[in-house]
């Protein structure tokens, strides 16, 4: 299906970029006509994914960039995040703890949990040139 | 992210605005730690003007709640939680961990 909108921006891989990345995502979600709730969910998923890239993929490497592509067609909005950091294995992430009492509550794994809760499709891949690609899809209906 | 602090007799009211993400969560943690460092453990966090909170921000809330509730010395309560943020907190299983009020007056009056 052909894209009605396609935009790509590369942001420096630092926490300072998170607000600008959110603005980019919100603009795309509004152009796609997503509801407030779906727009917030998309913003949360992308923010968590970018925070993970900055914190883990580029942990002790010289920070490079996160290339964010947004595509909108009649059925869905797709955000693709590309980085050149360490590959991410979702199996390495801790399971989220959603119900332990306060004193035992662990807070790891919530970011990845939010990504899966907010998006309809989540795909991690690593290209032959070492680029990590995270694809996040939200259906428009 | 910005915040303002008001001290009441029985609690401190921290009103936060803007985004609480990986960039700004440490600033919120510092503001809350400053309150705890004064031996004050009853805190109302007014989230009315918060536009966004990520898991990094939720970590700050839960870590502060753990410190306040230790030894029964106090508690963090939340006031005016925006709908989208409430939904994210609900997904994360945070709702049972905090008293939540629709307005600041009742939140402050809780203490």
């Amino acid at each position: 299906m052909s894209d009605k909108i396609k935009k790509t921006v590369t942001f420096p891989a630092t926490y300072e970029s998170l607000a600008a990345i959110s603005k980019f995502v919100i603009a795309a979600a509004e152009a796609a006509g997503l509801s407030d709730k779906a727009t917030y969910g998309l913003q949360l998923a992308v923010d968590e994914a970018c925070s993970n890239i900055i914190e883990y993929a580029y942990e002790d490497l010289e920070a490079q960039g996160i290339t964010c592509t947004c595509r909108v067609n009649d059925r869905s909005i797709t955000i693709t995040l590309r980085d050149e950091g360490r590959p991410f294995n979702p199996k390495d992430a801790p399971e989220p703890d959603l119900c332990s009492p306060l004193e035992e509550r662990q807070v790891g794994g919530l970011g990845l949990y939010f990504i899966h809760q907010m998006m309809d499709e989540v795909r991690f891949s690593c290209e032959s040139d070492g680029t990590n690609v995270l694809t996040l899809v939200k259906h428009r209906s | 992210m910005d915040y303002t602090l008001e001290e009441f007799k029985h609690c401190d009211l921290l009103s936060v605005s803007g985004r609480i993400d990986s960039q700004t969560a440490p600033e919120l943690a510092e503001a809350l730690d400053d309150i705890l460092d004064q031996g004050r453990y009853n805190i109302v966090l007014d989230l009315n003007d918060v536009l966004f909170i990520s898991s990094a921000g939720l970590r700050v809330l839960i870590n502060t709640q753990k410190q306040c509730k230790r030894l029964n010395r106090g508690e963090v309560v939340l006031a005016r939680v925006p709908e989208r943020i409430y939904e994210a907190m609900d997904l994360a299983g945070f709702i049972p961990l905090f008293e939540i009020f629709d307005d600041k007056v009742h939140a402050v009056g809780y203490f």
Side-chain angles (χ1 to χ4, degrees):
Chain A
M1 187 170 292
S2 64
D3 296 324
K4 288 186 167 168
I5 300 171
K6 184 175 179 187
K7 280 188 180 168
T8 297
V9 178
T10 298
F11 297 91
T14 61
Y15 290 142
E16 286 85 353
S17 295
L18 291 173
I21 293 170
S22 269
K23 265 191 193 165
F24 175 76
V25 169
I26 290 168
E30 284 175 353
L34 290 194
S35 66
D36 277 359
K37 183 173 177 161
T39 299
Y40 188 87
L42 189 68
Q43 185 191 354
L44 182 55
V46 173
D47 186 276
E48 298 290 356
C50 290
S51 297
N52 282 345
I53 291 169
I54 296 160
E55 186 171 0
Y56 300 113
Y58 286 129
E59 187 181 7
D60 48 5
L61 304 172
E62 195 172 329
Q64 299 177 48
I66 301 174
T67 299
C68 186
T69 299
C70 174
R71 285 179 289 140
V72 178
N73 65 30
D74 288 339
R75 283 196 202 146
S76 60
I77 175 167
T78 302
I79 306 277
T80 311
L81 301 173
R82 296 168 171 269
D83 70 79
E84 277 79 46
R86 207 169 280 111
F88 172 67
N89 185 346
K91 287 178 186 146
D92 293 341
E95 285 289 315
D97 174 358
L98 307 175
C99 53
S100 293
L102 177 72
E103 54 278 9
E104 295 159 26
R105 186 68 70 99
Q106 301 297 314
V107 286
L110 265 189
L112 190 61
Y113 170 75
F114 277 143
I115 293 170
H116 282 284
Q117 288 291 313
M118 297 301 178
M119 304 307 296
D120 293 310
E121 296 173 39
V122 179
R123 291 191 296 274
F124 293 92
S125 63
C126 188
E127 295 183 340
S128 53
D129 66 355
T131 303
N132 303 306
V133 183
L134 171 59
T135 306
L136 304 169
V137 182
K138 185 79 191 169
H139 300 150
R140 293 178 71 180
S141 61
Chain B
M1 187 200 75
D2 286 307
Y3 59 84
T4 55
L5 177 65
E6 290 172 76
E7 284 192 13
F8 293 88
K9 190 173 180 190
H10 297 293
C11 68
D12 282 18
L13 169 63
L14 191 70
S15 302
V16 188
S17 64
R19 287 171 51 85
I20 309 174
D21 57 18
S22 293
Q23 164 75 6
T24 57
E27 297 164 27
L28 177 62
E30 200 173 314
L32 289 161
D33 284 346
D34 284 348
I35 297 172
L36 270 49
D37 285 347
Q38 293 173 46
R40 297 175 67 88
Y41 299 101
N42 288 333
I43 300 171
V44 176
L45 208 51
D46 179 11
L47 300 180
N48 189 53
D49 295 325
V50 175
L51 302 172
F52 176 82
I53 184 163
S54 72
S55 62
L58 294 182
R59 269 196 284 279
V60 172
L61 297 193
I62 208 159
N63 287 335
T64 308
Q65 183 70 304
K66 281 181 180 174
Q67 291 182 69
C68 285
K69 283 205 165 180
R70 200 150 53 95
L71 308 174
N72 286 323
R73 57 193 178 182
E75 181 174 355
V76 178
V77 304
L78 308 179
R80 303 198 293 174
V81 181
E83 188 181 4
R84 301 279 94 88
I85 292 171
Y86 184 95
E87 288 164 353
M89 291 181 67
D90 193 20
L91 269 179
F94 270 46
I95 302 303
L97 305 180
F98 295 89
E99 292 287 341
I100 299 177
F101 296 90
D102 290 338
D103 63 272
K104 287 194 287 187
V105 174
H106 284 92
V108 170
Y110 173 75
F111 293 107

